[in-house]
Amino acid sequence: MKIDTNIKLPLSFILFALIAFVVAQIILFFSSGELVAGQFRQPDIWMGAHFLLLGFAVMIAMGAMYQLVPVAFLTPIWSQTFGFIQFFVTAIGVTAFAILLGVKPNIAVYGGAVVVIGVLMFILQMVITISKQEKRNMMTYFVMGAISCFFLTIIAGFLLAWNIAFGSINQHNTILATHVLLGVAGWFTLLIFGFSYKLVPMFSLSHGFSMKWAKPAFVTYVVGLISLILSFWLNNGLIQTIGWFIVMIGFLFFFFDVKEILAKRVKKKLDKSFAFAILAIFIGLGIHVVAFVVSLIGISDQATWSWLIFLYIMGWIVFSILGYLNKIVPVLWWTYKYADHVGKEKVPLLKDMINERWNLILFSLFIICVLGLVLSALLQLGILVWIFQGLLTITTLLYTLAVIRILFV
Amino acid sequence: MSLENKVGAALFEVIDPELGVNIMDLGLVYGIEADEDNNVVITMTLTTPGCPMHDSIKNGVTYRVKQIEEVHEVEVNIIWEPAWSPAKMSDKAKAMLGFA
């Protein structure tokens, strides 16, 4: 069975995403005043956030899935031509939507409609592809759970854009909370969980692990998400605290499995990029603990929760993506450029395609910038927010150039 | 030297690009058989099912073995049972991966 994907498909998504990543950071740099004030619900921040989450994180996730689903699920992509059309529709939609959110939010719904079409095309593509998998496993449930959350996120997001344009739907804030939760914790977290069960053993060369916490992790995390959504709609603080507790336990179950996989690894010295993705798991778990504690002691101010969401997005989702991307792109490019040369001539190893020293510097800078940004914002030190966001923008640009450099090896 | 031994020696030159270790020391090759017409059948595995390097390594093995003059046809069978385990690695591979 031929399961190879045309490299141009995942690469189109990844290159678009890297540009969006830099654009998002530039926009956030010029909006650092709003960041200091904890004013996240402003057009500029919406624009930056959607370039970051839709333009970067979602597009990377889509590109990575076009590459990983065939190899991990042993089933070819349903239609690669449809995939290219989906790329153009989504790229145009995301760009239009993010810009309109920043400059003319009252008509952003039209860009949003194009995004919805692009995402629905992607979901259709993945559901048909994955449904052809011969034998279901836990990874299938995580990925299908993630896709379901993605569908609901995009519907909730469209309702929000509709409301900004026409204002006919009540419960705007409840829909917003549902949209954010299903997007960052539902779609991205379940997706990273699912693929980590493939990628962590693969990159650490681990064998003989049990994955015994995978099912409890999936069930618990989904129950936690449902509890949180219920709490938003019922406006019930107790259910919300219970919900944060349950998702924290779900994350902890996943963490137990990763710990076992790493304990049973053959490759003792981990690559910097992969170690960074593993660090993101610790950060994700830490933020879940903090979210539960903050909810338990009854802190409900918007700035605290906004910065927690920011930390979750950057420290867990974006750091995971940045770490894995540095492993996925070399595999992609190596397969395209050198796969037919194995056994014929000396070909570079994957580690020859990346600069580990550079990665160490870049990943350290990302950690310093994100921590510095959050601390200086919480302490209301405007100049430091501006400096750290500026440094984050430069680091993002350097990271992007480092990934693009792989394509010239 | 028998043809099987020549093929085995050639396979030390096929490197797993992720690990930087050749497939013989990794213990990925389970069997090499040659018939009287010098058709070679190689039975091997990979470190993990769904490895993105599946086709690359299989094609590399085919190409390298075909370079041996006496070899007529080459067939590479990838199997998953028995599954690969770290115990199949040579001491050299274990040392290279820090697993010794």
Side-chain angles (χ1 to χ4, degrees), chain A residues 1-4 67-68 71-72 74 198 202-203 205-207 264-269 271 327 330-331 334-335 339-340 342-345 347-351, chain B residues 13-21 26 46-57 59-61 63-64 67 80 83-86 89 94 97-99:
Chain A
M1 179 171 53
K2 188 154 176 64
I3 53 173
D4 284 356
Q67 176 64 11
L68 290 173
V71 291
L74 298 174
K198 185 78 203 169
M202 200 162 81
F203 292 137
L205 197 57
S206 182
H207 273 261
K264 292 184 175 171
R265 73 185 191 272
V266 173
K267 204 173 169 185
K268 293 298 171 195
K269 192 169 179 252
D271 305 331
K327 295 290 294 176
V331 171
W334 187 95
T335 308
D340 293 337
V342 178
K344 297 180 190 176
E345 59 194 75
V347 294
L349 300 175
L350 293 177
K351 68 180 168 77
Chain B
E13 293 170 29
V14 179
I15 312 284
D16 180 312
E18 163 69 9
L19 302 172
V21 181
L26 280 173
L46 298 171
T47 53
T48 177
C51 169
M53 299 295 175
H54 183 289
D55 291 341
S56 315
I57 294 175
N59 293 342
V61 168
Y63 187 86
R64 181 63 192 91
Q67 281 182 316
W80 302 110
W84 178 85
S85 80
M89 289 192 296
K94 286 176 186 168
L97 296 170
F99 188 64

Side-chain angles (χ1 to χ4, degrees), chain A residues 101-173:
Chain A
L101 272 178
V103 299
K104 223 166 170 40
N106 58 324
I107 57 163
V109 67
Y110 300 109
V114 184
V115 175
V116 171
I117 294 168
V119 171
L120 290 180
M121 288 172 76
F122 173 76
I123 291 174
L124 180 71
Q125 171 90 281
M126 285 300 145
V127 169
I128 295 175
T129 300
I130 294 171
S131 66
K132 288 180 183 163
Q133 188 191 18
E134 282 181 16
K135 202 175 159 194
R136 302 264 183 281
N137 53 32
M138 271 320 293
M139 204 166 58
T140 320
Y141 295 109
F142 277 110
V143 173
M144 291 308 282
I147 289 173
S148 306
C149 289
F150 193 24
F151 174 74
L152 294 172
T153 304
I154 224 72
I155 298 300
F158 186 71
L159 289 178
L160 293 171
W162 180 279
N163 232 13
I164 293 170
F166 309 112
S168 57
I169 305 167
N170 290 327
Q171 308 275 5
H172 187 91
N173 285 343

